[in-house]
Amino acid sequence: MRYASVTDRLSGLGGAKWALHARARAMKAAGEDIIELTIGEPDVPTPARFTEAAARSMAKGRTGYSNGRGEPGLVAALAARYSARRGREIGRDQVMCLPGTQTVLYAVLRALAESDDEVLIGDPMYATYEGLITQTGARAVPVPLKPEHGFRMQVADAAARITPRTRVLFLNTPHNPTGAVLRPDDIRALGALAKQHDLWILSDEVYEDMVFPGITFTSPLDLPDLAERVVVASSISKSHAAPGFRSGWCVGPAEFCARLLPLSETMLFGSQPFIADLTEIAISEPSPVAPGMVDRFSRRAAVLAQTLHGTAGLRVHRPEAGMFALVDVRATGLSGEAFATCLLEQHKVAVMPGESFGAGLSGWVRLSLTQPDDRMVEATTRIAAHAATILGNAA
């Protein structure tokens, strides 16, 4: 039988990257003592006030059809939120609501790129980004994010990869998997480059509310001179510990949203009204759970660095935001994939191989910071022992 070419383009770009995580879950289900440091799921449940709000909304009959842009109350609340945060008026016609950031990015890229186009994307990158770009028919062009620059995209590295086919500069700040946060100067320089080459800027900002102390978040949406070419995406999944509700949005130029609307209507024709009601409440005030996660994750990152950095050749990259830290395991002589596989089999700690996030993290692993403190300490002990054993065997 014949299939659309998109199925070939996406082959190997889906769940295959999470194979080690799936294996760890199976081992845990079988009763093994697995410390799971793979996925980025908040370490607290969705606040009761939000689940109760959804339940009340359903009880009131808010279970009918919605529309392609989003429920009016949520759209208005998002426009108010972004107007206040960005210091300029963001209209309701600049907002689109879709189920989760993943769906938002899928739709936005579908609207901005097509066959033979090119999208600049930082390498390393979140595991789904390559597939999101590839589904459009466009080609992902990796821009190296280097440890010596704190994994922040450098304008010279992006400029060197621009061709006449480049259409989009895809940013992620705060960044997953590195935890890097772009500085105002970075944003201005990359914005100037986008203007020079008439590029769209797509910015995934789902970790905006999870920036660690001493670091300031800046969005390209903050700069009025970039307004006509910036689309930002976010959701309540991380900041409000509500990943299962799949509630996301994008903010961009009114013309862009008008063009995206028929695509949204064709894909989904609206999200669930009761989830929109929950989200309206959630984003209309500061998150009740984000500050606690920021405190715990930044503290655990510090402990991880103190206990692992320099141990058995390991090197820890301290994140500036989010819920992950990176460990450079190249001194062991193993790839990130091999190190993570052996660590799971021999020491029952599940981490993500760096190679799942692009060639730029070959020989690294990513650790989530979402386990309780005592389990994080136990995990670092097991990881250190694993690395020491590898080096001892090599000697």
Side-chain angles (χ1 to χ4, degrees), residues 226-290:
L226 299 180
E228 67 177 1
R229 66 183 66 253
V230 171
V231 180
V232 303
S234 194
S235 76
I236 60 171
S237 295
K238 310 296 186 181
S239 58
H240 293 75
F245 280 99
R246 312 310 302 139
S247 183
W249 59 83
C250 65
V251 178
E255 180 184 5
F256 166 80
C257 290
R259 285 178 171 267
L260 184 64
L261 181 56
L263 176 60
S264 172
E265 291 170 334
T266 302
M267 288 174 60
L268 301 161
F269 223 108
S271 304
Q272 298 88 337
F274 62 91
I275 292 179
D277 295 344
L278 173 162
T279 308
E280 180 182 346
I281 293 171
I283 60 95
S284 296
E285 56 189 39
S287 167
V289 292

Side-chain angles (χ1 to χ4, degrees), residues 142-381:
V143 178
L145 307 180
K146 302 170 184 175
E148 58 266 32
H149 294 137
F151 288 108
R152 301 197 312 275
M153 186 179 289
Q154 302 297 294
V155 68
D157 293 328
R161 288 158 178 81
I162 292 177
T163 75
R165 293 181 174 179
T166 309
R167 295 291 178 269
V168 182
L169 175 60
F170 189 169
L171 304 178
N172 175 207
T173 182
H175 190 262
N176 178 6
T178 69
V181 179
L182 290 175
R183 304 298 194 264
D185 285 348
D186 299 327
I187 297 291
R188 282 190 285 269
L190 291 167
L193 183 70
K195 290 174 65 177
Q196 179 184 350
H197 294 277
D198 193 24
L199 306 180
W200 285 95
I201 299 174
L202 170 57
S203 185
D204 180 351
E205 299 175 352
V206 73
Y207 288 103
E208 176 183 353
D209 289 341
M210 299 182 65
V211 176
F212 293 174
I215 303 297
T216 300
F217 172 76
T218 300
S219 169
L221 197 63
D222 293 343
L223 306 183
D225 66 315
L226 299 180
E228 67 177 1
R229 66 183 66 253
V230 171
V231 180
V232 303
S234 194
S235 76
I236 60 171
S237 295
K238 310 296 186 181
S239 58
H240 293 75
F245 280 99
R246 312 310 302 139
S247 183
W249 59 83
C250 65
V251 178
E255 180 184 5
F256 166 80
C257 290
R259 285 178 171 267
L260 184 64
L261 181 56
L263 176 60
S264 172
E265 291 170 334
T266 302
M267 288 174 60
L268 301 161
F269 223 108
S271 304
Q272 298 88 337
F274 62 91
I275 292 179
D277 295 344
L278 173 162
T279 308
E280 180 182 346
I281 293 171
I283 60 95
S284 296
E285 56 189 39
S287 167
V289 292
M293 286 192 286
V294 166
D295 177 70
R296 292 189 297 278
F297 299 158
S298 60
R299 186 181 69 248
R300 290 169 190 163
V303 170
L304 185 72
Q306 291 164 6
T307 55
L308 278 188
H309 190 75
T311 299
L314 301 177
R315 301 187 65 82
V316 176
H317 172 74
R318 290 278 296 271
E320 299 175 327
M323 51 181 63
F324 305 104
L326 297 177
V327 180
D328 182 350
V329 303
R330 288 175 292 180
T332 66
L334 298 182
S335 67
E337 182 79 36
F339 185 94
T341 300
C342 293
L343 179 65
L344 178 60
E345 292 175 347
Q346 299 174 13
H347 295 273
K348 313 304 180 187
V349 177
V351 300
M352 286 296 293
E355 289 84 0
S356 292
F357 305 99
L361 277 190
S362 295
W364 294 67
V365 294
R366 188 194 76 172
L367 284 64
S368 72
L369 301 167
T370 57
Q371 290 294 320
D373 291 355
D374 61 333
R375 295 292 277 174
M376 289 298 303
V377 170
E378 174 62 22
T380 60
T381 301

Side-chain angles (χ1 to χ4, degrees), residues 93-105:
D93 58 353
Q94 294 179 253
V95 177
M96 293 280 293
C97 301
L98 294 101
T101 312
Q102 183 77 6
T103 307
V104 170
L105 295 174

